[in-house]
Amino acid sequence: MKAEIIAVGTELLLGQIVNSNAQFLSTELAALGIDVYFQTVVGDNSNRLQQAIEIARSRADLILFTGGIGPTEDDLTKDALAAALGRGLHIDTLAMDHVQRFFDARKIVMTENNRKQALIIEGTTPLPNEIGLAVGVALAHEDKYYIVLPGPPREMKPMFTDKAKPWLLQHALTDEMPIYSKMLKFAGIGESLLEDKLIDLIRNQTDPTIAPYAKEGEVTVRISTKAPSEHDALKKLDVLEKQIKDILPEHMYANIDVPLEQLIVDWMADAGLTLSAAESCTGGLLMESITNIPGSASMFAGGIVCYSNDIKKKLLNVPSDFLEGTNAPGAVSREVAEVLAEQVRMIADSDFGLSVTGVAGPGYSERKPVGLVFIGIAERNRKTEVFELNLQGTRENIRLRSVKALLYRLWRRLEERQVETPLEGSDL
Amino acid sequence: MKAEIIAVGTELLLGQIVNSNAQFLSTELAALGIDVYFQTVVGDNSNRLQQAIEIARSRADLILFTGGIGPTEDDLTKDALAAALGRGLHIDTLAMDHVQRFFDARKIVMTENNRKQALIIEGTTPLPNEIGLAVGVALAHEDKYYIVLPGPPREMKPMFTDKAKPWLLQHALTDEMPIYSKMLKFAGIGESLLEDKLIDLIRNQTDPTIAPYAKEGEVTVRISTKAPSEHDALKKLDVLEKQIKDILPEHMYANIDVPLEQLIVDWMADAGLTLSAAESCTGGLLMESITNIPGSASMFAGGIVCYSNDIKKKLLNVPSDFLEGTNAPGAVSREVAEVLAEQVRMIADSDFGLSVTGVAGPGYSERKPVGLVFIGIAERNRKTEVFELNLQGTRENIRLRSVKALLYRLWRRLEERQVETPLEGSDL
């Protein structure tokens, strides 16, 4: 089944709000095995809305509308759809009672335009609005299905989930097989290299399908299949997941949609391991991303943002002759990254200590190029590791990629450790 | 001029990401006086993309594409547009150099698919990509204008602002009376209260227009007018700006689009003032937002993320009897916020010291409610101020709002100081 989502509202076309309704409905429809082929946004304009309806009817089996069903003059969705289908509109008694009760309860006189919110198209199923006032509509017409939902997300979402979805399952989806997906998560590898490594699998994909996509510093691969049951789907998905993992064992860190820092926090908390950090060029971004995870308090002790050389010396005991003098390695160096990681680990008395020092730009410093970054990992009773990064991009990119690289290296270290002494409660 | 935005990407149709690009471009086009009549989302499918292009050509004068110009097999936007216009594609030499340099700098062998990112349509203006690799395209064809931009917002936004917008102004918008806008920025006030205060101005707006909008923790008011010259526009805009500032003098911090932390960094750097911070519940977010500003190195010394009580005691000399025992005020208290701010200021020997301690949730701690936060400002030779916040929202909201509240209080303090001894080089 092919679907199209039409969001109606001039505020979307002015950029005043983002079309989060389309995202919500797309996710929901994908989970039902319905292919969304187009999303359209059109303003509160009768001609253009009718034009959008005509186009959608020509290319979709199911059309979902959001917005344009409120009380004002520019709420036109039901009128336009009724006109397109050659049907009339009438007041739904139950919906009208609901609107009237709302005003009665507030002891406000209902203005006449609010009657509009109780309108439904003739011969259709009203979708009650539990949160707001405007009633929704579901109908089948000449082998096509139409769903009309309100614009405000907090009204639209429950109406879809509780009213429209059951209607769809009963009327439109009797023959379809549901779609099942898994999200495979990767770190320490870019999208194009990942795709290059998986190119044979991607070229030959039929069922399950493989879809890689990248967000800043992370790559996700969604694998999906249609199947009569979850059990059947998982049989197919697990085989493909294993093939992919075998190609990229050092980069695939999860088979559910979690950020890498979540995995690290959970693993370390479960294993009773603690962490601290000393950040120079990233200025707190690393610690912020870790402490953003609920539960991090049990594994993250704290750390130091050592932006100035004074703080590096005073709080982290970096020797002056590492920082000053013509032959000194300088703040952005392998040597300083090592001291920072080791010292913060000792000060916090934690199991692991992380460090970042580098040139985030825009200007260079210490005559070193923008993008040169050293990251360090100190561990109790283990030799400290330092990695050199040569990053590109804006100041923000370089900071973010430094953090992602450090999280990746820490994850690798925890993985190795896990092979030695398996952690309890871990999934991988 | 009528415009349509076509976002290309199956990930949008699967609901994996929200179409924030359409929102950004709609806002930008509205500011240029261009009417966006439709936004369309289509998947990585050649037929359907060509179909979307045909429809857009029939109803718009300007078509902007985002996405589908990366290195992979399902990046089809340029191919589809070239086919629709009956033009060829060729490698742009400069763009190819850019791609090659990227790989050379990383000492990685470029895979063949990356050449695709340097493709442009024949007879068009390449739009260089300063952040990523894929080159954009601008072209006029049979009285219509076409702009092709990358999908990732951090590449798309600067390419639009720095490359496509100037091209549009020069080629497509020569007859229009330009729109001039000013962005007024507010802190320490929510959108609905701000709107309430400005309601008479907003209700009576004709020219200039007033459009408030809120992003997490910040409110912006855009005032706009069409005028034959910037001089004429500014005469009108300045009058309205002064009216607004007179209504909200303690909240309007800038008349250009800068974040508050930018203003603080610039002011303090100009005045030779230095800053440090001690963060508990915000875990580095405050320091991260300050160090994200280029130039912060000259005013920000560094600081401490004191997530655990041990670190609070060990590094920031918080007395044990503040933290432990049945009658202790506890880590989330006015007393501890005061010590943290004063101690970090002394340790870093900075002019100002900031602190945050609170319950970000999801669970409560110390039997204190989620959202209770104390923020402190210590200053050399001045009494330390502590403010109590009672915030609502998710963990992420509470952390962000704590940081915004602290920046707001610091700005107010700097403003007072400025009245006493005016800082050089400041605009307000």
Side-chain angles (χ1 to χ4, degrees):
Chain A
M1 173 166 288
K2 293 178 288 184
E4 174 154 353
I5 298 165
I6 301 181
V8 185
T10 301
E11 67 277 22
L12 288 158
L13 296 180
L14 289 169
Q16 288 163 352
I17 53 172
V18 70
N19 192 5
S20 63
N21 284 349
Q23 182 182 26
F24 173 83
L25 290 174
S26 292
T27 311
E28 291 288 318
L29 294 172
L32 292 170
I34 298 173
D35 297 312
V36 177
Y37 276 2
F38 294 94
Q39 296 168 356
T40 299
V41 177
V42 58
D44 303 311
N45 173 288
S46 187
N47 285 339
R48 289 194 287 276
L49 178 52
Q50 294 214 30
Q51 194 186 327
I53 293 172
E54 285 313 316
I55 291 169
R57 288 176 79 182
S58 74
R59 62 191 185 186
D61 311 307
L62 165 65
I63 306 171
L64 294 100
F65 298 83
T66 62
I69 65 168
T72 74
E73 303 237 321
D74 58 5
D75 285 305
L76 303 162
T77 305
K78 287 174 191 168
D79 305 71
L81 180 58
L85 303 179
R87 297 196 183 201
L89 287 163
H90 65 83
I91 295 284
D92 180 69
T93 321
L94 282 175
M96 193 61 237
D97 284 352
H98 176 62
V99 174
Q100 188 64 61
R101 273 199 310 277
F102 173 88
F103 286 95
D104 291 348
R106 281 163 187 73
K107 302 189 173 66
I108 308 172
V109 178
M110 188 189 78
T111 55
E112 193 55 23
N113 59 359
N114 278 292
R115 293 176 57 80
K116 208 173 153 178
Q117 305 201 76
L119 281 178
I120 59 165
I121 298 169
E122 272 174 4
T124 64
T125 307
L127 303 174
N129 189 333
E130 308 280 358
I131 310 294
L133 297 183
V135 66
V137 170
L139 76 141
H141 182 100
E142 291 171 1
D143 285 341
K144 308 256 175 195
Y145 302 93
Y146 301 84
I147 303 275
V148 180
L149 300 166
R154 59 189 198 93
E155 298 177 28
M156 186 278 294
K157 289 180 186 180
M159 190 186 289
F160 179 80
T161 308
D162 303 334
K163 306 292 182 332
K165 192 160 119 181
W167 186 91
L168 278 173
L169 287 168
Q170 202 185 331
H171 294 86
L173 295 175
T174 44
D175 301 332
E176 300 270 329
M177 272 202 289
I179 214 168
Y180 296 90
S181 296
K182 265 189 154 178
M183 303 287 265
L184 311 182
K185 303 276 295 189
F186 299 83
I189 186 169
E191 188 189 17
S192 69
L193 181 58
L194 174 133
E195 202 169 295
D196 210 54
K197 297 268 185 193
L198 301 182
I199 194 71
D200 289 339
L201 286 177
I202 292 172
R203 288 232 170 108
N204 299 322
Q205 65 177 309
T206 47
D207 176 38
T209 57
I210 306 175
Y213 57 100
K215 267 191 304 192
E216 183 56 51
E218 272 189 10
V219 186
T220 303
V221 173
R222 182 198 286 254
I223 55 174
S224 309
T225 187
K226 285 189 182 182
S229 75
E230 188 170 7
H231 178 78
D232 294 320
L234 283 179
K235 267 202 286 192
K236 287 191 275 181
L237 293 175
D238 289 350
V239 171
L240 181 59
E241 178 189 332
K242 188 165 182 315
Q243 286 178 305
I244 292 173
K245 175 138 200 187
D246 285 348
I247 296 171
L248 296 163
E250 293 182 2
H251 297 285
M252 191 180 130
Y253 70 83
N255 58 7
I256 50 169
D257 192 12
V258 287
L260 185 52
E261 51 269 33
Q262 170 91 59
L263 193 78
I264 288 171
V265 165
D266 291 349
W267 277 12
M268 292 187 75
D270 285 347
L273 295 170
T274 55
L275 183 70
S276 60
E279 298 186 59
S280 183
C281 66
T282 48
L285 184 61
L286 170 65
M287 293 191 270
E288 191 277 313
S289 65
I290 290 167
T291 59
N292 199 29
I293 305 295
S296 51
S298 66
M299 51 65 76
F300 187 66
I304 294 166
V305 175
C306 48
Y307 222 51
S308 71
N309 279 354
D310 275 352
I311 298 274
K312 288 187 186 76
K313 287 188 280 188
K314 191 163 169 184
L315 289 183
L316 289 151
N317 307 315
V318 176
S320 290
D321 56 7
F322 277 25
L323 300 171
E324 293 142 24
T326 42
N327 292 322
V332 179
S333 65
R334 187 170 284 279
E335 290 83 345
V336 168
E338 185 174 295
V339 175
L340 292 178
E342 290 176 355
Q343 287 290 318
V344 80
R345 193 200 71 70
M346 281 196 286
I347 291 164
D349 191 24
S350 58
D351 298 299
F352 286 84
L354 305 180
S355 69
V356 201
T357 179
V359 187
Y364 60 87
S365 79
E366 296 182 337
R367 294 189 228 171
K368 286 164 184 162
V370 172
L372 177 67
V373 178
F374 293 92
I375 57 178
I377 304 185
E379 183 180 348
R380 209 188 288 279
N381 305 323
R382 286 273 295 261
K383 195 169 151 30
T384 300
E385 278 184 296
V386 175
F387 303 90
E388 178 180 332
L389 310 175
N390 292 281
L391 302 170
Q392 300 242 327
T394 62
R395 180 181 175 87
E396 219 176 320
N397 299 149
I398 289 168
R399 285 157 51 100
L400 188 56
R401 286 170 191 168
S402 301
V403 167
K404 295 282 179 186
L406 191 40
L407 290 171
Y408 172 64
R409 290 294 172 186
L410 177 60
W411 168 65
R412 293 301 306 149
R413 182 71 83 86
L414 292 168
E415 274 253 311
E416 286 164 27
R417 216 185 135 95
Q418 224 177 2
V419 174
E420 293 159 29
T421 51
L423 305 182
E424 252 184 278
S426 105
D427 293 328
L428 285 188
Chain B
M1 172 166 288
K2 293 177 288 183
E4 175 155 352
I5 298 164
I6 300 180
V8 185
T10 301
E11 66 277 23
L12 288 158
L13 296 180
L14 288 169
Q16 288 163 353
I17 54 173
V18 68
N19 192 4
S20 63
N21 284 348
Q23 182 182 26
F24 172 83
L25 290 173
S26 292
T27 310
E28 291 289 318
L29 295 172
L32 292 170
I34 298 172
D35 297 312
V36 177
Y37 276 2
F38 293 94
Q39 297 168 356
T40 298
V41 177
V42 57
D44 303 311
N45 174 286
S46 188
N47 285 337
R48 289 193 288 274
L49 178 51
Q50 295 213 31
Q51 192 186 329
I53 294 172
E54 286 312 317
I55 291 170
R57 288 176 78 182
S58 72
R59 62 190 185 185
D61 311 307
L62 165 65
I63 305 171
L64 294 100
F65 298 84
T66 62
I69 65 169
T72 73
E73 304 233 321
D74 58 5
D75 286 306
L76 302 164
T77 304
K78 289 174 189 166
D79 306 70
L81 180 58
L85 304 179
R87 296 194 184 204
L89 286 163
H90 64 84
I91 295 284
D92 180 68
T93 321
L94 283 175
M96 193 61 237
D97 284 353
H98 176 64
V99 174
Q100 188 65 60
R101 273 199 309 278
F102 173 89
F103 287 95
D104 291 348
R106 281 165 185 73
K107 304 185 175 70
I108 307 172
V109 177
M110 187 188 78
T111 54
E112 192 56 23
N113 58 359
N114 279 291
R115 293 177 57 82
K116 208 173 152 180
Q117 305 202 72
L119 280 180
I120 59 166
I121 298 168
E122 272 173 5
T124 64
T125 307
L127 304 174
N129 188 335
E130 308 281 356
I131 308 295
L133 296 182
V135 66
V137 170
L139 77 140
H141 182 99
E142 293 171 1
D143 287 339
K144 309 257 175 195
Y145 301 93
Y146 302 83
I147 303 276
V148 180
L149 301 166
R154 63 193 188 84
E155 298 178 25
M156 187 279 294
K157 289 180 185 179
M159 188 186 288
F160 179 81
T161 308
D162 303 335
K163 306 292 181 334
K165 193 161 119 181
W167 187 91
L168 279 173
L169 288 168
Q170 201 186 330
H171 295 86
L173 296 174
T174 45
D175 300 334
E176 309 261 333
M177 190 148 69
I179 276 199
Y180 294 92
S181 296
K182 265 187 154 180
M183 302 288 266
L184 311 182
K185 301 278 293 193
F186 298 82
I189 187 169
E191 188 188 19
S192 66
L193 182 57
L194 175 134
E195 217 175 281
D196 209 52
K197 297 266 186 196
L198 301 181
I199 192 71
D200 289 339
L201 287 176
I202 292 172
R203 287 231 171 108
N204 299 322
Q205 65 176 311
T206 47
D207 175 37
T209 57
I210 305 175
Y213 53 100
K215 268 190 306 191
E216 185 56 51
E218 271 188 13
V219 186
T220 303
V221 172
R222 183 197 289 256
I223 54 175
S224 311
T225 187
K226 282 193 182 181
S229 76
E230 187 169 8
H231 178 78
D232 294 322
L234 282 182
K235 267 202 286 192
K236 287 191 276 182
L237 293 176
D238 289 349
V239 171
L240 180 60
E241 178 189 333
K242 190 169 176 312
Q243 287 178 304
I244 292 172
K245 174 137 200 189
D246 285 347
I247 296 170
L248 296 164
E250 293 183 1
H251 296 285
M252 191 180 129
Y253 70 83
N255 58 8
I256 50 170
D257 193 13
V258 286
L260 184 54
E261 50 268 34
Q262 171 90 58
L263 193 78
I264 288 171
V265 165
D266 292 349
W267 278 12
M268 292 188 74
D270 285 348
L273 294 170
T274 54
L275 181 70
S276 60
E279 299 185 58
S280 183
C281 66
T282 48
L285 184 62
L286 171 65
M287 295 191 267
E288 190 278 310
S289 65
I290 290 167
T291 59
N292 199 28
I293 307 295
S296 51
S298 65
M299 51 67 74
F300 188 68
I304 294 166
V305 175
C306 47
Y307 221 51
S308 71
N309 280 354
D310 275 352
I311 299 273
K312 288 186 187 77
K313 288 188 278 186
K314 191 163 172 184
L315 289 183
L316 289 151
N317 307 315
V318 176
S320 290
D321 56 8
F322 278 25
L323 300 171
E324 292 143 24
T326 43
N327 293 321
V332 178
S333 66
R334 186 170 284 278
E335 290 83 344
V336 168
E338 186 175 293
V339 175
L340 292 178
E342 289 176 355
Q343 287 290 319
V344 80
R345 193 200 71 70
M346 282 196 284
I347 291 164
D349 191 23
S350 58
D351 298 299
F352 287 84
L354 305 180
S355 68
V356 201
T357 179
V359 187
Y364 61 87
S365 79
E366 296 183 339
R367 296 191 228 168
K368 286 165 185 160
V370 172
L372 177 68
V373 178
F374 293 91
I375 57 178
I377 304 184
E379 183 180 348
R380 208 187 289 279
N381 305 324
R382 285 273 296 262
K383 193 169 151 32
T384 300
E385 278 184 295
V386 175
F387 303 88
E388 178 179 332
L389 310 174
N390 292 281
L391 303 170
Q392 301 243 327
T394 62
R395 180 182 176 88
E396 221 174 319
N397 297 150
I398 289 169
R399 285 157 53 99
L400 188 56
R401 286 168 191 168
S402 301
V403 167
K404 295 283 179 186
L406 191 40
L407 291 170
Y408 172 66
R409 290 294 173 184
L410 177 60
W411 169 64
R412 295 299 308 149
R413 182 72 83 86
L414 292 168
E415 273 253 312
E416 286 164 29
R417 216 186 137 95
Q418 223 177 4
V419 174
E420 294 160 29
T421 52
L423 305 182
E424 254 183 278
S426 104
D427 294 328
L428 285 190

